[in-house]
Amino acid sequence: QVQLVESGGGLVQPGGSLRLSCAASGTFFMINSMGWYRQAPGKQRELVAAITRDDITNYGASMKGRFTISRGNAKNTVYLQINSLKPEDTAVYYCNAELYGLGNRWGQGTQVTVSS
């Protein structure tokens, strides 16, 4: 079994910052890449950022600047730093991992709400 657990979401005022965390655990040989996706009510899930085991990053459209993705030293943890949060950033943020020989796995998601 492979499990991804996200944390760090919550209610924040516009202009604030959050740091989301995701840790992968279970039986797998290697993680090829990890990433963050988000889904707002009534909208499709979209890529925020992804990072490979070689630390190559890929950001979704309009995601560069305020979003920064990074991996932990153990390579089973990924972080998403979000600065200057806007109301339109409100969404459920999901962690994704591409596992060697197993394919993609998803976390349950963490809610980010930006409101005054």
Side-chain angles (χ1 to χ4, degrees):
Q1 184 180 5
V2 178
Q3 186 176 24
L4 302 179
V5 180
E6 303 103 328
S7 63
L11 176 63
V12 64
Q13 296 181 200
S17 299
L18 284 175
R19 192 190 192 210
L20 309 183
S21 300
C22 174
S25 62
T27 303
F28 54 86
F29 176 70
M30 182 172 62
I31 300 175
N32 291 328
S33 66
M34 300 185 74
W36 289 96
Y37 295 72
R38 71 182 185 184
Q39 187 167 21
K43 297 184 178 180
Q44 294 184 340
R45 183 165 53 187
E46 63 179 343
L47 170 70
V48 178
I51 186 168
T52 71
R53 66 187 307 270
D54 297 321
D55 292 329
I56 304 299
T57 58
N58 180 37
Y59 290 88
S62 302
M63 298 296 178
K64 296 180 180 179
R66 298 187 298 112
F67 298 83
T68 304
I69 191 170
S70 61
R71 295 183 70 178
N73 292 333
K75 302 300 182 182
N76 68 330
T77 304
V78 66
Y79 305 97
L80 181 69
Q81 177 71 36
I82 316 174
N83 297 325
S84 301
L85 280 158
K86 303 176 180 179
E88 53 263 41
D89 294 323
T90 297
V92 178
Y93 286 70
Y94 296 93
C95 179
N96 173 77
E98 182 184 341
L99 308 176
Y100 178 81
L102 296 176
N104 290 321
R105 295 293 186 272
W106 295 90
Q108 289 284 88
T110 183
Q111 177 71 48
V112 173
T113 302
V114 185
S115 177
S116 299

